[in-house]
Amino acid sequence: MDHENAVRRRVGIKDVAREADVSLGTVSNVLNRPELVAGPTRTRVLAVIDSLGYVRTEGARHLRGRAARVLAVLVPDLAHPFFTALASGVEQAAREADLGVMVCTGSRDPEEETRHLSLITSHRIRGAVLTSGEAVGRTVASFRRNAVPFVVADQYGPQPGACSVGIDDVTGGYAAVRHLIEQGHRSIAYVSGPDLQQVRGRRRGAVNAVTQAGLQLTALRELACADLTVGAGKDAGHRLLGLPRRPSAVFCANDLLALGVLQALYEAGLKVPEDLAVVGYDDIECAASAVVPLTSVRRPAVAMGRQAGRLLVEETTPGAGHEHAHVVLQPELVVRRSTLAAPAR
């Protein structure tokens, strides 16, 4: 219980003053009139503010005693259709509770994260949905220090002391490669992305499918990409075409990579799926409308955002009897033309 209280208590100006061994007035001057404070003292106070994660709450006075009516959702990039859909799901959950939503982008940038946290705390936002990524551990720590309720979305494993919602990407990767094996493919490329939990899970599922089919691990060759973008996929497609023994199928870690691979194949005059079958992941809206409709593993982004939003609303509603939960949603393979040979005429 003591640990829980320590985690939930917001870092205050008194904590800063005690840690820096200065008066409350000195801390206030550093924040509001820094020219009145001697340089070494000002530097020491600012260092403590940074180490404790103290964030000013400008709106506390006029908002004190009023219930927050807004949720926040932090996503890396709204240009990515998956995160747009996830944010839409959070908005649906907020609307059900008669709440609004503030969307913050660039959550993988430390400076942007600090700015978002300051905005959320200063305006007494009710809580936040955080999307998983490289920086999720740092983000969670910052939100804990400032006693901001949160739910982590797109995280397969449970988040200690908090709610989380994820998708079983191991099952998704298995379904994608199992489908290719059932289509007769025995040499498959996996176009991967950055070292993210989700990407690793999809690869693990792909490896499981290969081994359970009795094939050698060499049947699956990985082409690493630094980004999960169309441009990175196109580059991977060119590398794929340059392999001495080209695989007959490719599984991509997301649909944007797959669309880039399709572009590279089209420019090289190859046919999909006759020359090379392609599977994507996410099933974003444009997957079905690609020049060759893309087989993809559908991740229920809207449902995930809605579930995360509902958990956050429940957690921040007094008397709701909330208990932390980890929800795992299942992906679904959607088969289209990019992995099926044209029907006989």
Side-chain angles (χ1 to χ4, degrees):
M1 185 67 179
D2 290 341
H3 174 71
E4 176 73 9
N5 288 337
V7 168
R8 301 302 299 170
R9 188 173 67 83
R10 186 184 302 277
V11 175
I13 192 172
K14 291 182 180 179
D15 300 299
V16 175
R18 182 170 54 253
E19 184 71 18
D21 194 24
V22 297
S23 68
L24 292 175
T26 298
V27 178
S28 177
N29 282 338
V30 169
L31 293 171
N32 299 295
R33 294 181 294 174
E35 70 279 1
L36 299 181
V37 183
T41 301
R42 185 169 66 244
T43 299
R44 185 168 78 253
V45 171
L46 289 173
V48 170
I49 287 173
D50 182 64
S51 66
L52 293 181
Y54 170 71
V55 180
R56 301 176 68 179
T57 52
E58 304 290 352
R61 184 175 304 162
H62 74 273
L63 288 172
R64 187 175 291 119
R66 294 171 53 188
R69 306 300 304 168
V70 177
L71 304 180
V73 54
L74 276 67
V75 297
D77 184 4
L78 272 180
H80 193 299
F82 176 81
F83 294 113
T84 303
L86 189 152
S88 175
V90 176
E91 185 179 25
Q92 290 178 19
R95 194 182 308 120
E96 292 171 358
D98 194 28
L99 302 174
V101 169
M102 177 178 74
V103 179
C104 303
T105 60
S107 63
R108 290 175 183 162
D109 182 328
E111 291 186 5
E112 281 297 294
E113 175 201 292
T114 300
R115 187 176 70 83
H116 296 328
L117 181 59
S118 178
L119 183 65
I120 288 168
T121 54
S122 67
H123 289 82
R124 299 292 192 184
I125 299 300
R126 182 166 179 156
V129 173
L130 313 177
T131 53
S132 182
E134 309 100 317
V136 69
R138 183 191 66 232
T139 306
V140 163
S142 297
F143 275 69
R144 286 192 196 281
R145 281 199 305 270
N146 288 277
V148 178
F150 65 88
V151 173
V152 177
D154 199 19
Q155 175 171 303
Y156 180 62
Q159 176 65 230
C163 287
S164 54
V165 185
I167 295 174
D168 188 350
D169 285 311
V170 176
T171 293
Y174 177 88
V177 173
R178 181 66 187 177
H179 168 67
L180 291 173
I181 292 172
E182 289 173 347
Q183 296 300 305
H185 298 284
R186 296 295 181 268
S187 180
I188 301 166
Y190 175 49
V191 176
S192 68
D195 185 27
L196 299 173
Q197 177 192 67
Q198 298 87 339
V199 175
R200 292 193 300 270
R202 292 161 207 176
R203 183 186 184 279
R204 190 158 67 249
V207 169
N208 291 346
V210 167
T211 57
Q212 288 185 26
L215 301 176
Q216 298 294 319
L217 284 178
T218 53
L220 185 71
R221 286 187 279 177
E222 184 171 356
L223 295 175
C225 294
D227 301 301
L228 293 165
T229 61
V230 173
K234 189 172 182 179
D235 174 72
H238 290 311
R239 284 186 281 147
L240 182 67
L241 293 173
L243 293 176
R245 296 180 61 187
R246 192 174 68 218
S248 63
V250 57
F251 167 43
C252 299
N254 79 347
D255 285 341
L256 297 182
L257 289 173
L259 293 173
V261 169
L262 287 176
Q263 286 185 11
L265 299 179
Y266 177 80
E267 291 176 0
L270 297 182
K271 294 181 179 180
V272 174
E274 290 83 359
D275 295 318
L276 196 73
V278 181
V279 178
Y281 205 99
D282 286 342
D283 195 33
I284 60 177
E285 187 174 352
C286 60
S289 57
V291 175
V292 179
L294 183 66
T295 292
S296 184
V297 178
R298 177 177 295 161
R299 290 207 297 161
V302 174
M304 181 165 62
R306 187 166 56 244
Q307 181 69 60
R310 286 172 175 169
L311 286 170
L312 184 59
V313 169
E314 181 183 284
E315 179 177 353
T316 56
T317 299
H322 175 77
E323 293 185 5
H324 291 318
H326 175 58
V327 179
V328 179
L329 305 177
Q330 293 300 313
E332 175 190 0
L333 179 69
V334 181
V335 178
R336 299 192 180 97
R337 175 80 174 82
S338 69
T339 56
L340 297 178
R345 293 184 179 274

